[in-house]
Amino acid sequence: MTRLDLTTAAGHAFVVTDAHGDIAAGSDHGLYVADTRFLSRYALRLNGSVPLLLRSGPVHHSEAHIYATNPAFGDIHAHTIECVRRRRINHAFTETISLTNRGDTPADIHLTLAFDADYADIFEVRSHVMSRPGRRHLLRTADAPIVFADLSRNQNRRTRVRFSHAPDSVRRGVAHFPVHLEPGETWTLEVRVEWSVPYPATVGPVPIAHASAEEPLTDWLRHLPTLETSDLDLHLAFDRSVRDLAALELALSSGHVIPAAGIPWYLAIFGRDALITSLQTLMLGPRLATGTLRTLAAYQARRASAFRDAEPGKMPHEVRFGALAEAGMIPHARYYGTADATPLWLLLLAETFRWTGDRNLIEELLPAAERALRWLDAHGDMDGDGLIEYHRRSRHGLENQGWKDSWDSVRFADGRIAEPPIALIEVQGYVYAAKCSMADLYDALGRPEDAARLRAEAQRLKQTVHEAFWMPDQGFYALALDRHKRPVDSITSNPGHLLWSGAVDEPYAGRVVERLMAPDCFSGWGIRTMATGMRAYNPTSYHNGSVWPHDTALIVAGFRRYGYRREAIEVADGLLAATRWFDGHRLPELFCGYDRNATPFPVDYPVACSPQAWAAGSVIHLLQQLAGVEPGPTGLLADPLPHGRNLRLKGVPFHGERHDIVADAPPPGEQARRVA
């Protein structure tokens, strides 16, 4: 996929085409539903020629328009025939094609639409290797002129192409439409592509629904908190982010929703991504959080499986619905290769209770929470040293199982790749925060002994982390410990997550802030994933020098937590300033790590997901830090940073009620104000 490709998506279905609107045979374009490609070719031709593109683009996440005209052919001059394609995806993929004769004489046009379906699994498309040769059968029926059936993997997969006008003929998936147009006349054809998707028991227990929940989604958008601000960039970025979060919702047959990771290739359940997105957006309401908690709890591992990197109590990393997952050729029908989803799930559960006070939710999910706590100690700590480690057991699994999950993301300062088992610094912080938060939850449930036990475990972990990871010569924490318990000494953004988790004592927190604000870490747009002086640093690397908005936003929250308000504002301002350089003020999954003083704009990472869930959530999280909105033991608090903006938040939900918050820059020395 390139940035010029056109993507529309809704629920579990999406279409990727070139800018002309065509699905090019042999490319990674296609109509994908539940991780399977249901159209591998869709090409429009006028008199055998590709129309001349004028402009194309999205109107909405599920809708796009393409404007084109004709090249010269025969007696018809160029730019005589106007061709407009208006497409939408939801329950089906529909496209309305309009041809208008803008000339002075009649025109005869031969419109052809070519279709094919290979039913490739999304993993095959992305790797460009077909695990098994596809066999598809082309049928013709009275009610649907073109029908493709998957014969090689599951005959229940079918693609039906219907037309509002019957084609003159259909030969080998190509529909022919002779069109006569008088001057000024418009001819319109609607193309409707439907699909049949099997959901076998192997991908249970909560498969994706057959269509997106559009009406509840519209209602959710209508009742979101509204923002009034003097900062136009922030206002536009906020509006874009909430709409992107809506676009990324997956509706489940359980009745719940969960945010997908990103469009197009990660329109699926990803545990870590959904959890962080839900934590970032609790200020908007608990819809994403409760759906994420319940969905991941339903997929929580109950038994060990080396093939799936699973142990009892572990939360899933990824859930897929394609043919390879269904057949057990890859573990992704339920894959558990993540070291951090389990503690993040516990943290989200406790944070959701802080925002909602919903005891019924806690009682419902407490068994899953206690299984997750047991996983931390029984399986997550592989060698009994008090730290969480990971080591891939599945040959199809991820080599690195933190949020930087590329194969080369855990490297020493000299560039060497660390050997597993690996203990990542930020994961230890997540565990610390999870145990502290669950202790508060146990107090609320009247179980003080369990609360005291978890607090004691959390304090021991904080001490262990400092002793094992602190590098006195660097004044900073190591990225990880390798298999020999040696500190992986590269300077990265990961230790900033310790501040978000609260797992650092002063004066070490100040040293972390100072190091991350140094020019080799802070690009001016955001915090680099790796400092520029490291051997593996590359500003265009996925995890070794790029800037990830969610990573930077979590670090901003950590700065604020420890009272480093000036630094929090400076980094937040840099990331919000970056939004004006991206289409629609949409922060992408990541961008390159070039210095702001060296480039007049942030440089795109070429294949970043956009929209992407935790990038969209980052704007909400930054707004929360600037406004200082926080649930406290006595109510909802507002402690704005001196950010220089006028901020009004209307309708922030807290414990079943909605509240308006004035979060202007406060006078010096003003304390946090109780809102509710």
Side-chain angles (χ1 to χ4, degrees):
M1 178 185 173
T2 71
R3 285 187 297 156
L4 296 178
D5 285 340
L6 192 60
T7 301
T8 52
H12 63 321
F14 66 93
V15 178
V16 180
T17 69
D18 62 21
H20 288 78
D22 288 347
I23 295 171
S27 70
D28 56 6
H29 298 155
L31 164 63
Y32 294 85
V33 186
D35 301 321
T36 301
R37 184 157 63 182
F38 279 75
L39 274 185
S40 56
R41 186 186 182 203
Y42 175 35
L44 181 152
R45 300 292 182 265
L46 299 178
N47 287 8
S49 300
V50 178
L52 300 175
L53 180 65
L54 300 173
R55 180 74 183 264
S56 65
V59 178
H60 183 259
H61 69 270
S62 61
E63 187 174 351
H65 290 179
I66 302 106
Y67 296 89
T69 187
N70 67 291
F73 34 69
D75 296 332
I76 302 176
H77 298 295
H79 308 288
T80 299
I81 306 301
E82 174 186 278
C83 177
V84 180
R85 303 167 72 174
R86 297 179 175 90
R87 61 178 44 164
R88 180 174 175 81
I89 189 167
N90 192 4
H91 308 277
F93 171 55
T94 58
E95 181 167 280
T96 301
I97 301 168
S98 298
L99 302 180
T100 302
N101 183 358
R102 299 299 184 186
D104 297 326
T105 59
D108 288 300
I109 304 298
H110 185 195
L111 169 71
T112 59
L113 299 173
F115 300 88
D116 203 355
D118 63 0
Y119 299 101
D121 189 283
I122 197 168
F123 283 86
E124 296 172 314
V125 176
R126 300 300 291 145
S127 66
H128 304 285
V129 176
M130 291 289 286
S131 298
R132 287 190 285 178
R135 287 180 58 232
R136 60 101 178 96
H137 187 55
L138 175 60
L139 308 171
R140 286 199 64 187
T141 63
D143 63 331
I146 300 177
V147 180
F148 297 99
D150 179 9
L151 300 182
S152 62
R153 288 171 175 151
N154 192 314
Q155 293 188 27
N156 291 327
R157 285 189 176 88
R158 292 199 174 194
T159 307
R160 296 174 177 84
V161 183
R162 306 178 190 274
F163 305 105
S164 57
H165 305 309
D168 181 65
S169 64
V170 178
R171 295 188 295 274
R172 297 187 176 183
V174 180
H176 298 261
F177 297 88
V179 180
H180 178 80
L181 293 172
E182 292 294 324
E185 184 181 3
T186 297
W187 178 87
T188 300
L189 173 72
E190 182 179 276
V191 181
R192 181 178 177 88
V193 183
E194 301 167 340
W195 51 80
S196 299
V197 182
Y199 287 109
T202 54
V203 295
V206 282
I208 295 171
H210 284 258
S212 61
E214 190 162 317
E215 290 182 10
L217 188 58
T218 302
D219 186 65
W220 178 71
L221 284 170
R222 190 182 304 118
H223 290 93
L224 282 178
T226 58
L227 170 66
E228 296 177 359
T229 176
S230 58
D231 185 338
L232 180 60
D233 289 327
L234 176 57
H235 190 279
L236 293 173
F238 175 82
D239 183 67
R240 167 53 59 194
S241 293
V242 296
R243 292 181 181 279
D244 284 347
L245 289 166
L248 287 162
E249 278 197 2
L250 295 177
L252 307 174
S253 59
S254 61
H256 305 304
V257 298
I258 188 171
I263 292 174
W265 308 117
Y266 302 101
L267 201 62
I269 296 171
F270 281 82
R272 178 194 307 116
D273 299 65
L275 289 160
I276 289 179
T277 303
S278 298
L279 283 162
Q280 293 171 320
T281 58
L282 275 165
M283 187 176 70
L284 300 180
R287 173 185 169 94
L288 295 181
T290 55
T292 294
L293 288 166
R294 287 179 165 124
T295 300
L296 298 183
Y299 281 106
Q300 186 179 34
R302 300 304 179 92
R303 60 182 64 87
S305 168
F307 177 64
R308 301 189 187 280
D309 278 329
E311 297 98 17
K314 198 176 186 183
M315 292 298 172
H317 169 63
E318 183 176 359
V319 179
R320 291 288 189 171
F321 294 85
L324 298 186
E326 172 196 332
M329 298 177 67
I330 57 174
H332 294 77
R334 294 179 305 281
Y335 179 60
Y336 296 86
T338 169
D340 49 18
T342 306
L344 287 170
W345 187 93
L346 290 164
L347 181 58
L348 178 61
L349 179 67
E351 284 296 300
T352 303
F353 181 70
R354 290 181 68 209
W355 279 91
T356 66
D358 187 349
R359 294 181 69 92
N360 291 332
L361 177 72
I362 302 307
E363 291 171 2
E364 172 192 341
L365 295 176
L366 190 60
E370 295 188 323
R371 288 192 294 269
L373 284 168
R374 288 193 293 272
W375 178 84
L376 294 177
D377 299 327
H379 300 284
D381 182 1
M382 298 172 65
D383 55 10
D385 65 350
L387 302 172
I388 302 297
E389 298 93 2
Y390 65 82
H391 182 221
R392 182 184 72 170
R393 293 185 293 159
S394 174
R395 67 185 182 90
H396 295 285
L398 293 168
E399 294 182 52
N400 286 311
Q401 298 182 1
W403 81 262
K404 295 178 180 176
D405 57 7
S406 54
W407 68 272
D408 63 345
S409 64
V410 184
R411 305 180 75 156
F412 288 86
D414 62 8
R416 287 176 297 124
I417 294 178
E419 296 180 68
I422 289 170
L424 287 170
I425 183 67
E426 76 273 15
V427 174
Q428 318 313 317
Y430 302 161
V431 174
Y432 171 83
K435 289 193 172 184
C436 289
S437 298
M438 285 301 297
D440 293 342
L441 206 55
Y442 276 134
D443 277 337
L445 294 173
R447 294 171 58 174
E449 296 85 0
D450 290 316
R453 172 179 56 82
L454 286 181
R455 288 195 180 96
E457 291 174 2
Q459 290 306 309
R460 286 196 297 271
L461 175 59
K462 180 192 281 190
Q463 181 177 351
T464 300
V465 168
H466 184 75
E467 292 172 352
F469 288 84
W470 182 253
M471 301 183 294
D473 58 328
Q474 298 284 344
F476 200 61
Y477 287 100
L479 164 62
L481 303 181
D482 73 355
R483 65 180 301 176
H484 303 294
K485 300 300 177 183
R486 293 176 302 200
V488 179
D489 59 348
S490 54
I491 305 300
T492 65
S493 61
N494 301 56
H497 293 215
L498 281 189
L499 302 178
W500 176 62
S501 304
V504 186
D505 289 327
E506 288 288 11
Y508 303 103
R511 301 283 298 277
V512 172
V513 173
E514 181 182 8
R515 188 67 188 85
L516 289 172
M517 290 301 294
D520 62 342
C521 289
F522 179 42
S523 75
W525 302 113
I527 305 296
R528 294 184 180 92
T529 47
M530 178 174 281
T532 60
M534 302 296 102
R535 180 66 184 85
Y537 168 75
N538 181 345
T540 64
S541 165
Y542 195 56
H543 286 134
N544 295 323
S546 56
V547 172
W548 287 63
H550 90 280
D551 183 38
T552 291
L554 290 176
I555 292 170
V556 168
F559 286 2
R560 181 196 166 87
R561 177 174 189 151
Y562 280 84
Y564 292 88
R565 298 161 76 87
R566 177 185 62 80
E567 293 84 355
I569 294 167
E570 184 176 352
V571 177
D573 284 349
L575 191 55
L576 290 172
T579 64
R580 74 173 67 111
W581 296 101
F582 295 108
D583 289 344
H585 280 69
R586 170 188 284 154
L587 282 174
E589 177 186 19
L590 72 156
F591 52 91
C592 295
Y594 292 107
D595 195 88
R596 187 173 180 177
N597 293 325
T599 60
F601 42 76
V603 177
D604 295 73
Y605 185 83
V607 291
C609 283
S610 184
Q612 200 249 9
W614 61 19
S618 297
V619 174
I620 313 304
H621 203 202
L622 288 177
L623 175 60
Q624 182 183 349
Q625 304 314 308
L626 294 174
V629 179
E630 187 74 16
T634 60
L636 191 63
L637 302 177
D639 179 20
L641 294 174
H643 48 71
R645 301 168 173 86
N646 295 318
L647 290 181
R648 305 285 194 281
L649 285 163
K650 295 185 176 181
V652 175
F654 176 72
H655 283 234
E657 298 180 349
R658 291 185 174 269
H659 307 277
D660 296 342
I661 297 170
V662 177
D664 296 342
E670 182 172 313
Q671 299 299 308
R673 302 187 304 274
R674 178 173 170 176
V675 177

